[in-house]
Amino acid sequence: DELAKVVDFFSIGTNDLTQYTLAVDRQNPSLEEFGDTHHPAIMRLLRMIAENAHKAGIWCGICGELGADLSLTDTFLRLGIDELSVSPTSVLPLRNVIRNH
């Protein structure tokens, strides 16, 4: 909430958010099973970020691989995420899910 007062927007790097929150090095294959991008702690952080952004009148977006995870698109919309930055090959499938939301 404090940071939201002094910035124009939040762009959430979900790869780093997951790595730092769960203390799991994503470059280490032996720790891969612990790097759960769907972990409840990650979802709570995303909700908290979106809520605080909107309270401050700014938008929040997701960049990183998680933005293209179609199994989470509805969750992101419910959380209030304003933007999903994805690779070009993910745009059309993501657009279809959002249109059918």
Side-chain angles (χ1 to χ4, degrees):
D1 63 330
E2 294 296 316
L3 188 56
K5 296 173 188 173
V6 296
V7 299
D8 294 326
F9 62 89
F10 286 146
S11 181
I12 307 160
T14 55
N15 295 340
D16 289 337
L17 179 71
T18 301
Q19 177 174 317
Y20 298 137
T21 301
L22 302 179
V24 175
D25 179 4
R26 67 178 186 244
Q27 303 293 327
N28 187 337
S30 65
L31 299 175
E32 191 172 302
E33 67 180 285
F34 301 108
D36 178 11
T37 56
H38 295 209
H39 193 283
I42 303 302
M43 296 302 118
R44 282 193 294 263
L45 282 170
L46 292 174
R47 184 185 72 237
M48 182 178 65
I49 293 165
E51 287 175 355
N52 284 298
H54 295 152
K55 284 179 189 174
I58 63 173
W59 63 267
C60 66
I62 288 180
C63 61
E65 295 172 25
L66 201 58
D69 184 337
L70 300 180
S71 71
L72 288 174
T73 304
D74 285 339
T75 299
F76 295 150
L77 295 174
R78 282 193 306 276
L79 292 175
I81 302 298
D82 300 300
E83 178 181 273
L84 298 170
S85 177
V86 298
S87 66
T89 58
S90 298
V91 171
L92 292 178
L94 181 61
R95 185 183 299 172
N96 288 336
V97 170
I98 292 171
R99 281 186 176 168
N100 293 320
H101 174 69

